[in-house]
Amino acid sequence: MLFDKHQEDIINRMLDGEATPEEAAMLGTILAAPADRALWEAMQDVDRLLRTAPTASPPPGFTARVMAQIYAGAPVQAKAASTPNGMTLAGRLALVALAGVGVLLLVRLAVGQLIGPLPSLEELSMTVSYIVNGFIDVIEWLFDYVGRYPALPAIGLASIPLAFAVTWLVVYYTPKEPFRRAAHLLIP
Amino acid sequence: MSENVIQERDEIHARDRAWVQCILAGDPSVFAELMAAYQQAVYNLAYRMLGERTEAEDAAQEAFLRAYRYLDRYDQDRPFKTWLLSITSNYCIDRLRRRRLTWLSIDEPLPPHPALASDAPLPEASAIDGERDAAIQELLSELSPDYRAVVVLRYWYDCSYTEIAEVTGTTESAVKSRLFRARRALAERIKARPAGHLVPAPVPVMEG
């Protein structure tokens, strides 16, 4: 009941009517087991059913309804002229940059109000060295902890595929449309 | 592919490109020509994907409106139909995924069966064809949205693997694999049914 990729391709081509005589001859070998032959017959039934399926037609007045919406809306945008909301891409980027500068200025003002003038280079380097030393302390503590609990690295490693699976599920089941719309606002 | 088929495709491509250029030049009325040429293809894809006529009409309408809105992004060197089907397919897949996340409240009435969901007539007038159509939709609903799109594009549009890959934004190898798995899943569903059920009788073609 398990077919390899090559066998799957042959079965697909047989159903599509595109198999060579050599491939058709190979089918007997591929479908040697009775269960495989039964599956093949059911696949042919599905194929016949789908090939005779009718094509559905839209209800009367469909085109008129869509065209009415088109006439009621904005005209189609000329190439590279503007984004769906009417502002050019350059305009949008400039707006984002301007907003960024504004936020930075506000942060600078707020920090200035709270802690006075900015620190000197010497003070900055001392702060950086405190942070680095703190980081090294944490690493040392982790090594010490792992030494006491040997199963910890294995649990850590096992959690990686779990994290991937959870992330994949979240991404798969998240509706993509709002993100696409948001992206279209910035990149036409 | 025969020379006639290639020539016909080239002519359709040239025609569609001319229409698109007219619309981009500021004449929206030409979009009605594009709609007349592709409304059945778009609607049928939406119906086969969503399995419900009212929803299919909404989806087809949305696909055409998006095509119009973003017509400037259409690469005129490629077939318009592929681009349009790609918009429709993506929209329907998103809609199906959203539908799976919708929780029904116990106070809310259950949605009607697809066959009863619309007053519009079925595609074929006869009850036998209506029954076969319902059986097909029931089978298709067993497949995940990605697999369903591949099956519909292969059987209703006679798309090549390359074209299906373009429409669905995947590789040719993935298309082959999805098509095989979908065919196998549908065959297993049919095998589980009582003998003769869901298998169509040959229908004589009547031409006026």
Side-chain angles (χ1 to χ4, degrees):
Chain A
M1 291 293 268
L2 280 176
F3 302 107
D4 63 33
K5 187 91 187 76
H6 180 59
Q7 290 169 333
E8 286 181 8
D9 284 351
I10 290 174
I11 293 172
N12 266 340
R13 278 201 292 276
M14 281 296 294
L15 289 169
D16 294 333
E18 294 167 1
T20 62
E22 293 78 27
E23 287 173 333
M26 283 170 73
L27 196 69
T29 321
I30 296 169
L31 306 171
D36 289 343
R37 276 200 299 279
L39 180 70
W40 165 245
E41 276 162 24
M43 284 175 110
Q44 286 179 300
D45 287 342
V46 168
D47 193 64
R48 276 195 293 273
L49 178 68
L50 294 177
R51 281 187 200 286
T52 56
T55 301
S57 297
F62 175 73
T63 302
R65 280 194 290 280
V66 177
M67 287 309 293
Q69 287 206 41
I70 284 174
Y71 285 127
V76 65
Q77 312 287 336
K79 202 160 190 115
S82 59
T83 59
N85 275 7
M87 188 184 279
T88 60
L89 180 62
R92 248 160 227 285
L93 290 174
L95 197 68
V96 170
L98 204 64
V101 170
V103 169
L104 284 176
L105 279 173
L106 283 174
V107 169
R108 171 67 190 90
L109 279 172
V111 169
Q113 289 294 319
L114 288 172
I115 59 167
L118 283 175
S120 65
L121 266 178
E122 196 181 347
E123 286 169 323
L124 270 176
S125 66
M126 273 177 70
T127 309
V128 169
S129 73
Y130 280 136
I131 293 169
V132 170
N133 284 335
F135 185 70
I136 290 168
D137 284 348
V138 169
I139 298 284
E140 282 174 352
W141 176 81
L142 271 176
F143 271 101
D144 184 44
Y145 202 73
V146 168
R148 274 187 284 160
Y149 301 97
L152 212 58
I155 294 167
L157 279 175
S159 67
I160 293 171
L162 187 72
F164 270 110
V166 169
T167 311
W168 184 85
L169 280 172
V170 168
V171 171
Y172 184 82
Y173 284 108
T174 302
K176 312 289 183 299
E177 200 44 40
F179 294 100
R180 277 200 198 118
R181 279 191 190 152
H184 287 332
L185 288 177
L186 192 62
I187 303 162
Chain B
M1 202 184 291
S2 76
E3 235 173 69
N4 282 347
V5 174
I6 294 171
Q7 194 186 342
E8 196 185 336
R9 280 194 177 186
D10 288 347
E11 281 170 12
I12 290 171
H13 189 191
R15 179 202 67 186
D16 290 351
R17 196 156 49 183
W19 282 342
V20 167
Q21 282 164 1
C22 277
I23 300 161
L24 288 173
D27 185 1
S29 68
V30 181
F31 195 72
E33 305 285 346
L34 274 171
M35 280 197 70
Y38 295 117
Q39 62 171 345
Q40 193 174 28
V42 169
Y43 178 81
N44 182 64
L45 177 57
Y47 173 59
R48 295 299 170 193
M49 289 292 290
L50 301 169
E52 204 271 299
R53 289 181 175 275
T54 315
E55 221 181 330
E57 191 184 339
D58 281 352
Q61 184 170 308
E62 184 58 31
F64 275 115
L65 289 175
R66 284 180 187 198
Y68 178 77
R69 209 176 299 141
Y70 303 121
L71 200 61
D72 58 309
R73 293 183 202 167
Y74 159 59
D75 177 359
Q76 294 182 30
D77 293 333
R78 303 173 84 176
F80 182 78
K81 188 179 180 180
T82 309
W83 184 67
L84 188 58
L85 290 179
S86 172
I87 293 174
T88 314
S89 163
N90 286 338
Y91 180 73
C92 290
I93 289 172
D94 271 357
R95 202 159 167 149
L96 285 167
R97 285 181 180 156
R98 274 203 305 273
R99 192 197 279 176
R100 277 159 64 178
L101 289 176
T102 307
W103 286 28
L104 282 173
S105 154
I106 51 168
D107 298 329
E108 229 174 288
L110 285 168
H113 185 275
L116 305 172
S118 168
D119 292 335
L122 288 167
E124 302 286 323
S126 77
I128 295 168
D129 281 350
E131 197 181 318
R132 196 161 84 247
D133 195 57
I136 289 166
Q137 280 311 127
E138 195 186 329
L139 268 181
L140 286 176
S141 69
E142 304 282 342
L143 299 173
S144 73
D146 292 329
Y147 284 33
R148 205 179 302 179
V150 171
V151 168
V152 174
L153 290 166
R154 183 68 185 166
Y155 281 99
W156 274 271
Y157 299 88
D158 206 20
C159 286
S160 67
Y161 293 150
T162 315
E163 286 168 330
I164 298 173
E166 269 182 41
V167 171
T168 55
T170 183
T171 62
E172 220 176 298
S173 169
V175 168
K176 286 180 193 172
S177 177
R178 281 181 193 175
L179 186 63
F180 178 82
R181 285 178 199 169
R183 281 168 158 165
R184 184 184 181 137
L186 295 177
E188 272 159 5
R189 292 296 301 180
I190 275 196
K191 265 171 63 187
R193 306 261 164 169
H197 190 69
L198 290 181
V199 181
V203 181
V205 178
M206 296 177 76
E207 286 176 348

